[in-house]
Amino acid sequence: MDLGRYEKHVLLEEIGEEGQRKLMKSSAAIIGCGALGGMIASLLARAGIGKLIVVDRDFVEMKNLHRQILFDEEDAVNMTPKAVAAMEKLRKINSSIEVEAMVADVNPSNVEEIVESVDIILDGTDNLETRFLINDACIKHNKPWVYGAVVETEGITMGIVPHETACLRCFLPFAPGGNTCDTSGVLSMAATTIASLQATEAIRILVGEGARGEAIHLDVWSGSVVPIKVERNPECMACGKGEYEFLDSSRYSSARILCDGKTVQIIPGSPIPSLQKLAERLGRVGKVERGRHVLKFRTEREEMIIFEDGRALITNAGSVERAKALYAKYVGI
Ligand SMILES: [Zn+2]
């Protein structure tokens, strides 16, 4: 393997030739490819991580571009799924690595398979429910993962090595009551800074240096950086008792309200017709727009985004029940 493009890593005492070779043989999954995930993916691709899997359920919108540095206006105009847009960019950044895109909602049915297939998992999600799910899967399968979250000008990150460091539920013991995505805005630099710390933690773990062993809280506006010591909790549901309640699929419904409070996500139990067929059918009753791998359908009040796997995001339906009814009416399952 040619280490030429990584010469500045090879020069670093912290990585060196041996460390770089380890990175090139490593694999990572980035779950959620928005402000955090896009930056993490770019950094890890440039660092030469051998295989990256990018997982995201959403598509690129113009309002994402202020903070999601991997995407551009063309991606937003084409409504390209974030995982696909990320994969295309990452392949251009580093053609010597393997990049895989998964346009999917991470839930109990697929999280364990994702976690088992890589060496480390990076959190680019925007809600606690998915983070607890990742935590459970990683503790169960003994895989390290790096938690990261940002809001406004602040952020927090922690590397988690199962049964060595504290886990997310040692840190935040209570299960969230629902999605906790914030609507108070975010400064993109808070995200890129936390993402940099997450990527650094991943590299530390992959080269064998180990996790930092503490959480880091920072505020990019004031410039404060505060390390937080987190002790393992012997009573922790996940890493203490081995009870992985978030992996229980009955906790996850196939229809649920997302963090903006007005969008309902529907995941169908069986395959749907092709988007081409759906577009023809729905074009008779409303306005249809085709993006890459997605279809947008608008009636007078509601808007429905439908992905190839049948997953739909329905806005302004008013309730989960009505969203389900609309899905049944228009998509036909
Ligand atoms: Zn724990």
Side-chain angles (χ1 to χ4, degrees), residues 33-34 38 60 64-65 68-73 75-76 81-83 85-86 89:
C33 194
V60 182
N64 299 147
L65 301 182
Q68 302 190 7
I69 62 155
L70 209 47
F71 308 129
D72 56 40
E73 291 183 356
D75 299 320
K82 290 180 183 176
K89 304 285 195 296

Side-chain angles (χ1 to χ4, degrees), residues 149-270:
V150 284
V151 63
E152 298 174 359
T153 60
E154 296 172 53
I156 190 158
T157 177
M158 181 167 82
I160 292 159
V161 180
H163 311 296
E164 274 181 38
T165 68
C167 82
L168 187 62
R169 292 200 73 181
C170 295
F171 188 34
L172 305 167
F174 301 106
N179 288 313
T180 55
C181 184
D182 211 280
T183 49
S184 49
V186 64
L187 191 70
S188 64
M189 300 80 188
T192 51
T193 311
I194 287 292
S196 289
L197 287 171
Q198 286 181 272
T200 310
E201 184 80 328
I203 286 175
R204 282 179 61 109
I205 293 169
L206 291 173
V207 300
E209 175 73 18
R212 295 185 194 99
E214 54 190 11
I216 296 174
H217 176 275
L218 59 81
D219 184 327
V220 289
W221 197 258
S222 67
S224 88
V225 179
V226 182
I228 304 167
K229 195 82 205 153
V230 185
E231 300 290 345
R232 280 195 67 193
N233 173 9
E235 298 298 309
C236 170
M237 287 284 279
C239 76
K241 295 181 175 169
E243 290 174 21
Y244 308 115
E245 55 178 350
F246 286 84
L247 295 178
D248 175 1
S249 55
S250 64
R251 290 184 60 97
Y252 269 74
S253 59
S254 62
R256 58 192 170 115
I257 296 188
L258 298 185
C259 42
D260 65 0
K262 60 176 187 177
T263 304
V264 176
Q265 173 175 268
I266 307 267
I267 299 174
S270 46

Side-chain angles (χ1 to χ4, degrees), residues 264-273 278 281-282 304-307 309-314 320-333:
V264 176
Q265 173 175 268
I266 307 267
I267 299 174
S270 46
I272 63 156
L278 263 183
R281 191 202 298 170
L282 295 175
M304 198 182 280
I305 307 283
I306 306 164
F307 294 83
D309 64 357
R311 191 166 51 85
L313 303 172
I314 304 175
V320 169
E321 288 67 33
R322 178 152 162 76
K324 277 178 162 174
L326 287 169
Y327 189 87
K329 179 178 170 189
Y330 292 122
V331 186
I333 290 177

Side-chain angles (χ1 to χ4, degrees), residues 121-133:
I121 293 85
L122 288 114
D123 171 20
T125 68
D126 60 1
N127 67 87
L128 264 180
E129 190 179 30
T130 313
R131 292 184 178 115
F132 277 93
L133 178 76

